[in-house]
Amino acid sequence: MVDMPSLLKTQADRHWSRFEEGAAEVVARLSEPRRTQLHTLFACSDFAADSLCRQPELALELDDEQDLHNAERAERYRPELAQLLAGVHDEPGLQRTLRRYRRRELLLIAWREMLLGAEVEESFVHISALADALIVAAYRWWYQRQCAELGTPTDGEGNAVPMLILGMGKLGGRELNFSSDIDLIFTFPHNGVTRGGRRELANQQFFIRLGQKLVNALHQTTVDGQVYRVDMRLRPFGESGPLAVSFAAMEDYYQHHGRTWERYAMVKARILNDEGDYSAELRAMLKPFVFRRYIDFGVIDSLRQMKAMIAAEVRRKGLQDNIKLGAGGIREVEFIAQVFQLIRGGREPALQVRHLPDALAAIRESGALTATEAELLHQSYRLLRRIENFLQAFDDQQTQTLPQDDLNRSRLAWLTGHDDWNSFHQALHQAMDGVHRQFGGLIGDNSEAEEEGAAQIWFDLWQTELDESELLSVLQEQGMDQDKATRLARALNSFKEECPRRAMGPQGRQALDKLMPVLLDKVSHSDTPGILFARLQQLLLQIVTRTAYLQLLVENAGALTQLIRLCEASSLVAEQLARYPILLDELLVPQVLYKPMPLDAYKDELRQFLLRVPEEDVEQQMEALRQFKQIHLLRIAAADIADALPLMKVSDHLTWLAEAIVEEVINQAWAQISARHGVPETLADSPRRGFGVVAYGKLGGIELAYSSDLDLVFVQEAGLKGQTNGNKPLDVRQFYLRLAQRIIHLFSTRTPSGVLYELDMRLRPSGNAGLLVSPLDAYRHYLQNEAWIWEHQALVRSRLIVGDAVLHQEFARIRRETLSAPRDHLALAEEVVKMREKMRTHLNKAGPGEFHLKQSAGGLVDIEFLTQYLVLAHGHEHPAALTRWSDNIRILESAVEVGLLEEEEAWRLKTAYCAIRNRGHRLSLSDQPGLLPDTELTQERDWVVASWNKWLKTP
């Protein structure tokens, strides 16, 4: 090893002084060789120094023969922990024992790998075995304790039932890194009930409670630190799913809902606590989901998309210094191996392994990789994982980013045998470049564009400085008329003047010079080239300093074509792309861009999207939610522009997208508030939350538009009293208030991707003066005794979109009762007309000769008010039919079914409604106001006015 740099010696001296000051008696008893080793260790690891300052006795306890020079220690972890925990009878004692044992053994692992030549494979084995032992020891301690308190969970024959713990990711593959978090899934063999306790408890509730205790034992930070950060989001249905599920429920989930990314994750799944026949049963159940019997070419497109997502994330986040997520990093090696496992693993059992080096060896034996390719990947992986361990052992932090400070750079170079940082960096990048070349050639790339050139004139036009008159002349020679040429010339010269003011590097300038001639050639074929380029200019000015995005457009002619098509069709889309350039990655795969996912897939897709973000990183979770929304808004708009979706389906997609996001925000807010305060005591043994969200307005009516805000009302189960059961208990009412405030915060905080949605909470009982969360009994009383007619009109367009089954049933009953109450038709008509005239006076922006699509007579709001009148006036006669739906179209259809409207009248109203909405929708895509010449849509408006006069014109 090269001589230790002076910077490391200084750091070692600093830590040694602290150690001597706090543990003088221990230091006096140390041998000279042990002192020298510790001094060197302190130079390499702040974690080691901190650990020995906290537990100085370890400096004497760690034995040379049994510990420091023993490469086979893993087998002793479980028996040692069992012995240590045998005398522990309280939770603080459990937490202290687990944390101190982890610290001792990780100190030993770091010591051996940094100073004693232990290979990275030895660290894999011991870090993973240590995690297994700690998790299983905590599980067994809590299982016994909970059985004593609540009874033992049993099957139908009275046999005790265990919980099985699946370790996922690197833990499952026995490749855990030094400061990794752990991904777990909890499952149990049989539903049933507990026996021997004070009262019966369903097995699932027992195991959910046990899972919560286990997660807390590992995850909670105490004075002794953490054992592991625990991530449970890979379980069936993610955060919205129960913490523990039965084998049967798990099998059903993977058969009917399992996605390719979940198969990818399940490749490494491993049962941590062997439970005999139950373990074999679980393995046999999961195997067909992960490894198909045939060569699974059907998964290739999904894997291509996953590959594109990996590449996009590298571009988006600038991950060049990240040895895990960056180009050629650990993730790319894992992806290469798991692609072959997923495609061929069902036919080739040798590929059904979890440990990545074993997988690479099996892939080489199968002939899918050459010996040279496999060896390059293996050695690069070993180097990257060794560096990762060192980075994390410096200070017990979960990081894969190369350091920017001199101290840790010196540590990394010295530990890997390099004279300086530059030589280390060169060796690392050589390894990562080799990985990335193999990643780039894997399973093809469905976003590769054919090279596309442009006529020489466009190169000359871009590279030559021309004044407006000269430029105008050149453009007219290309066949443009004077107006189009003038607009494009002005826009182009404006862009040329602005570019030098942006901080572009040489690579960015080179990419822009390649892009602009091709872009101008395409723009010149537009009917409105000046308007189109002006829209594109806003985006280009945002990305000229971000070379990766310029190169994306240069290297992917198809993406450039989609960009121009979308910006030409919609200024709204152009503005979104300019505001959020990360959306450019969506242009790479047109078959995804123009084909929004099935309506019922948004929730699952959002869950997958959020798995990339650490659960505890609230800011990144908020940003990811906003990115997900923008990505799918773009996809919906693209399908809309391409006429792949009719208007009603566009609204459906926008509505289901919003509902998925609302539900996820509720999940996150609940997790954040309950982590601090617990949950209401009366719900502690129940999966219920007692909290619901009522959607009003366009969201409630399933008529959401691109820029709609969300009209929401929060409700809670009636009769909930008492306090929460956490470390900082709250009164139940205060708990739900905090929950509501947290939800609003998650929606309204402005991140780099803006706010999530604008929320309007004014439709709650008593408006802004009312409670933020209404108990359902108070909500019912208000609606049926105090609410105005306009509030009953608003209730027509309401739905409970998030909430337990109990809340859904109760809300439906309250809504039906309120809407079907008998009313005087004449008085009701007068109130509705009065409210309509008031709205028209304040909101109608139409000038002479103009028609306002929403507010003018015969417009959209007239149809909405008319349907609301029909429900309120005749709901008591036909409660089941007229109060069932919240959207205008189905209300009108229901009115026909019960004989309230003639089919012809309903058809005219529906036709008018769709025609007016469609025109407004097209205008909104171009960011234009909802105004038309008064000569348009005259037939449809006449139909609406005729129906209005028939039903609402009072004497």
Side-chain angles (χ1 to χ4, degrees):
M1 187 173 277
V2 298
D3 292 339
M4 180 182 285
S6 59
L7 189 60
L8 300 195
K9 293 177 182 177
T10 302
Q11 183 73 357
D13 292 341
R14 186 178 299 117
H15 283 316
W16 186 259
S17 297
R18 184 163 66 103
F19 182 54
E20 278 189 314
E21 183 179 340
E25 292 182 8
V26 171
V27 172
R29 296 167 58 192
L30 294 173
S31 67
E32 194 57 38
R34 179 61 60 90
R35 288 185 183 215
T36 301
Q37 273 197 345
L38 288 176
H39 193 269
T40 306
L41 185 62
F42 288 178
C44 299
S45 171
D46 301 329
F47 160 74
D50 183 59
S51 296
L52 286 162
C53 287
R54 288 186 181 209
Q55 296 174 247
E57 68 278 4
L58 292 179
L60 296 169
E61 281 181 19
L62 293 176
D63 180 76
D64 281 345
E65 184 175 343
Q66 294 298 317
D67 297 311
L68 290 174
H69 297 290
N70 180 5
E72 303 290 341
R73 307 177 309 282
E75 293 298 323
R76 76 187 192 193
Y77 291 154
R78 294 199 186 200
E80 282 184 356
L81 273 167
Q83 185 176 354
L84 287 170
L85 290 173
V88 173
H89 302 292
D90 59 13
E91 189 174 356
L94 169 70
Q95 293 178 330
R96 183 170 54 254
T97 302
L98 296 175
R99 284 153 179 75
R100 291 173 72 86
Y101 190 82
R102 171 189 178 270
R103 184 177 287 275
R104 178 189 190 277
E105 295 303 322
L106 280 184
L107 171 66
L108 182 51
I109 290 166
W111 195 330
R112 281 190 52 77
E113 189 169 356
M114 286 180 161
L115 303 185
L116 301 178
E119 298 290 350
V120 70
E121 287 82 1
E122 179 189 320
S123 296
F124 285 163
V125 169
H126 286 81
I127 295 171
S128 301
L130 176 62
D132 289 1
L134 289 163
I135 295 163
V136 173
Y139 158 70
R140 300 214 184 285
W141 191 91
W142 269 116
Y143 183 83
Q144 293 170 6
R145 185 181 182 90
Q146 197 161 287
C147 285
E149 291 179 0
L150 303 175
T152 302
T154 60
D155 60 17
E157 298 176 358
N159 300 312
V161 173
M163 182 172 81
L164 280 75
I165 305 168
L166 280 172
M168 309 294 287
K170 288 188 172 66
L171 174 60
R174 290 192 171 94
E175 299 153 10
L176 209 60
N177 51 43
F178 194 85
S179 297
S180 180
D181 57 4
I182 55 173
D183 296 282
L184 302 177
I185 295 176
F186 301 149
T187 183
F188 56 94
H190 300 289
N191 286 310
V193 295
T194 58
R195 298 189 182 186
R198 291 189 302 274
R199 61 186 178 88
E200 283 188 353
L201 187 68
N203 282 359
Q204 184 168 36
Q205 291 309 309
F206 178 94
F207 289 119
I208 287 174
R209 187 178 292 191
L210 175 61
Q212 291 167 340
K213 296 291 188 183
L214 174 56
V215 169
N216 192 54
L218 301 170
H219 190 92
Q220 185 175 349
T221 302
T222 71
V223 292
D224 295 301
Q226 258 183 334
V227 186
Y228 297 104
R229 293 171 297 276
V230 182
D231 194 331
M232 299 298 301
R233 292 176 294 170
L234 288 176
R235 68 187 187 266
F237 297 110
E239 287 179 306
S240 59
L243 194 62
V245 296
S246 67
F247 282 9
M250 179 176 274
E251 183 174 32
D252 180 76
Y253 173 81
Y254 288 123
Q255 281 183 356
H256 296 100
H257 305 283
R259 305 284 294 280
T260 297
W261 67 266
E262 287 176 300
R263 285 185 60 198
Y264 182 89
M266 197 59 75
V267 166
K268 287 184 177 289
R270 177 171 60 87
I271 301 168
L272 305 186
N273 55 320
D274 188 14
E275 299 290 348
D277 290 343
Y278 287 137
S279 297
E281 181 184 346
L282 181 59
R283 290 189 196 100
M285 184 187 81
L286 292 174
K287 184 176 177 180
F289 169 67
V290 184
F291 298 111
R292 305 289 164 83
R293 293 179 184 175
Y294 47 86
I295 293 181
D296 192 0
F297 292 108
V299 80
I300 290 179
D301 278 341
S302 297
L303 291 169
R304 281 178 177 149
Q305 289 182 28
M306 290 174 69
K307 177 188 169 188
M309 285 162 52
I310 291 171
E313 187 175 17
V314 172
R315 277 195 301 272
R316 183 164 63 239
K317 294 187 176 179
L319 298 170
Q320 293 87 349
D321 288 333
N322 191 302
I323 62 167
K324 176 183 177 181
L325 304 178
I330 293 166
R331 178 170 62 176
E332 291 189 2
V333 185
E334 293 171 337
F335 185 82
I336 291 168
Q338 286 175 262
V339 161
F340 289 113
Q341 288 181 282
L342 282 180
I343 294 174
R344 299 175 176 270
R347 288 277 295 273
E348 301 180 34
L351 294 175
Q352 297 175 15
V353 292
R354 302 181 188 90
H355 191 50
L356 189 136
D358 294 343
L360 289 174
I363 294 164
R364 182 196 64 219
E365 288 297 319
S366 75
L369 286 175
T370 67
T372 302
E373 289 169 336
E375 182 64 14
L376 183 147
L377 289 173
H378 185 205
Q379 293 306 323
S380 298
Y381 182 71
R382 292 182 74 247
L383 173 64
L384 290 165
R385 292 302 308 274
R386 188 161 181 250
I387 293 168
E388 181 184 39
N389 274 350
F390 288 155
L391 285 172
Q392 297 186 359
F394 291 163
D395 197 22
D396 195 17
Q397 296 293 317
Q398 187 188 18
T399 180
Q400 288 91 13
T401 302
L402 293 176
Q404 301 300 310
D405 62 293
D406 291 338
L407 172 62
N408 285 321
R409 284 186 167 188
S410 294
R411 282 171 165 169
L412 208 50
W414 188 69
L415 285 167
T416 52
H418 290 88
D419 293 324
D420 54 37
W421 174 256
N422 288 335
S423 64
F424 161 79
H425 206 251
Q426 184 176 352
L428 172 63
H429 274 276
Q430 184 177 347
M432 293 180 73
D433 286 347
V435 171
H436 191 60
R437 280 194 298 274
Q438 290 200 42
F439 175 79
L442 188 69
I443 62 172
D445 192 336
N446 62 352
S447 66
E448 289 176 358
E450 296 177 2
E451 288 197 14
E452 188 168 320
Q456 184 63 41
I457 184 64
W458 301 110
F459 287 89
D460 297 341
L461 190 144
W462 170 248
Q463 297 290 352
T464 309
E465 292 298 326
L466 302 174
D467 62 30
E468 188 173 315
S469 61
E470 293 171 319
L471 188 54
L472 188 62
S473 175
V474 173
L475 292 174
Q476 286 180 306
E477 289 173 7
Q478 304 310 307
M480 286 187 203
D481 63 34
Q482 184 168 359
D483 181 58
K484 291 179 181 178
T486 301
R487 286 173 176 265
L488 180 55
R490 287 175 181 168
L492 180 56
N493 273 344
S494 169
F495 179 66
K496 282 186 169 186
E497 289 170 10
E498 185 63 32
C499 275
R501 301 185 186 128
R502 307 294 168 120
M504 262 191 296
Q507 283 186 324
R509 183 74 218 185
Q510 186 179 26
L512 187 66
D513 287 343
K514 286 182 180 178
L515 171 66
M516 289 308 298
V518 180
L519 182 142
L520 288 169
D521 191 6
K522 290 179 178 291
V523 166
S524 69
H525 295 100
S526 167
D527 291 336
T528 54
I531 294 173
L532 173 56
F533 188 82
R535 291 175 181 176
L536 289 166
Q537 176 183 349
Q538 299 306 311
L539 168 66
L540 292 170
L541 289 173
Q542 290 295 320
I543 66 172
V544 288
T545 58
R546 301 165 75 172
T547 307
Y549 286 121
L550 290 174
Q551 289 174 335
L552 182 154
L553 295 174
V554 169
E555 295 167 6
N556 295 273
L560 180 59
T561 299
Q562 304 310 327
L563 173 66
I564 290 172
R565 178 185 183 186
L566 292 172
C567 290
E568 185 171 25
S570 170
S571 61
L572 181 70
V573 171
E575 288 170 11
Q576 286 292 94
L577 288 166
R579 195 174 294 126
Y580 311 117
I582 62 170
L583 295 175
L584 287 173
D585 288 316
E586 296 302 305
L587 306 180
L588 289 171
V589 192
Q591 58 266 45
V592 174
L593 177 64
Y594 291 102
K595 187 180 180 182
M597 64 185 59
L599 293 173
D600 59 2
Y602 282 108
K603 292 179 182 180
D604 188 62
E605 187 74 11
L606 176 56
R607 180 164 68 89
Q608 177 192 352
F609 193 85
L610 292 174
L611 283 172
R612 305 176 216 162
V613 182
E615 192 174 12
E616 68 275 7
D617 193 335
V618 176
E619 288 186 9
Q620 282 300 310
Q621 288 276 348
M622 288 198 293
E623 175 67 5
L625 280 169
R626 286 151 177 78
Q627 288 182 5
F628 182 84
K629 177 194 171 185
Q630 300 301 344
I631 287 168
H632 288 281
L633 277 182
L634 177 63
R635 291 183 184 177
I636 295 165
D640 185 6
I641 289 165
D643 290 326
L645 285 178
L647 170 62
M648 304 302 285
K649 290 295 183 184
V650 170
S651 291
D652 287 349
H653 278 274
L654 293 171
T655 299
W656 261 255
L657 170 62
E659 286 188 26
I661 290 172
V662 171
E663 182 171 313
E664 179 56 36
V665 168
I666 305 306
N667 287 338
Q668 291 188 16
W670 181 272
Q672 292 164 23
I673 298 299
S674 62
R676 176 181 288 266
H677 302 294
V679 301
E681 290 174 338
T682 52
L683 300 178
D685 294 329
S686 167
R688 304 200 320 275
R689 291 178 176 175
F691 181 83
V693 179
V694 182
Y696 279 77
K698 289 183 177 178
L699 179 58
I702 318 177
E703 296 163 355
L704 216 58
Y706 291 110
S707 55
S708 295
D709 58 8
L710 304 184
D711 294 291
L712 302 181
V713 170
F714 300 144
V715 295
Q716 70 179 69
E717 195 175 310
L720 294 178
K721 296 180 180 178
Q723 290 191 316
T724 58
N725 62 356
N727 293 328
K728 296 182 178 180
L730 289 175
D731 177 81
V732 166
R733 287 175 297 180
Q734 189 69 18
F735 170 81
Y736 283 115
L737 174 61
R738 293 271 181 92
L739 177 64
Q741 290 169 335
R742 189 66 190 168
I743 292 166
I744 293 170
H745 171 77
L746 293 175
F747 270 110
S748 58
T749 299
R750 188 170 295 279
T751 75
S753 292
V755 298
L756 190 51
Y757 284 98
E758 297 287 353
L759 295 188
D760 191 335
M761 308 295 298
R762 292 175 296 174
L763 286 173
R764 67 185 187 269
S766 302
N768 286 339
L771 296 172
L772 205 52
V773 185
S774 299
L776 272 179
D777 51 355
Y779 179 73
R780 176 177 181 271
H781 180 272
Y782 177 84
L783 286 175
Q784 297 179 6
N785 296 280
E786 301 176 38
W788 298 85
I789 288 296
W790 67 264
E791 291 177 289
H792 288 171
Q793 288 181 247
L795 188 66
V796 172
R797 286 158 58 85
S798 68
R799 295 179 299 125
L800 190 80
I801 59 170
V802 177
D804 310 318
V806 172
L807 281 172
H808 274 278
Q809 293 167 6
E810 183 62 12
F811 173 78
R813 185 177 68 83
I814 292 170
R815 180 176 178 274
R816 184 174 60 252
E817 285 178 359
T818 306
L819 296 181
S820 60
R823 293 175 176 86
D824 180 273
H825 292 192
L826 185 60
L828 175 64
E830 288 176 349
E831 285 294 324
V832 171
V833 170
K834 188 188 302 182
M835 176 55 66
R836 182 70 196 94
E837 291 303 326
K838 185 177 180 181
M839 283 183 67
R840 185 172 285 129
T841 301
H842 287 88
L843 300 175
N844 191 356
K845 302 293 194 297
E850 289 182 325
F851 169 66
H852 193 287
L853 290 166
K854 290 181 68 176
Q855 299 298 340
S856 291
L860 210 59
V861 178
D862 281 359
I863 304 173
E864 292 172 352
F865 270 50
L866 179 55
T867 58
Q868 291 160 13
Y869 169 81
L870 292 174
V871 172
L872 295 177
H874 299 279
H876 71 287
E877 300 163 21
H878 313 285
L882 291 185
T883 67
R884 180 180 180 186
W885 304 113
S886 61
D887 60 288
N888 291 298
I889 295 294
R890 285 187 290 191
I891 291 173
L892 290 170
E893 290 171 350
S894 297
V896 173
E897 289 173 10
V898 300
L900 192 60
L901 284 181
E902 295 291 335
E903 284 195 18
E904 176 67 17
E905 183 178 6
W907 176 84
R908 288 179 174 183
L909 288 171
K910 288 191 294 181
T911 301
Y913 181 75
C914 290
I916 296 170
R917 274 196 67 197
N918 195 52
R919 290 300 297 274
H921 185 69
R922 294 295 159 201
L923 289 170
S924 72
L925 277 175
S926 298
D927 201 24
Q928 296 178 28
L931 294 169
L932 293 178
D934 201 27
T935 54
E936 296 193 31
L937 295 174
T938 54
Q939 178 68 76
E940 289 84 354
R941 290 153 52 195
D942 288 344
W943 289 341
V944 176
V945 170
S947 288
W948 179 272
N949 291 336
K950 172 184 171 182
W951 291 98
L952 286 160
K953 192 166 185 179
T954 55

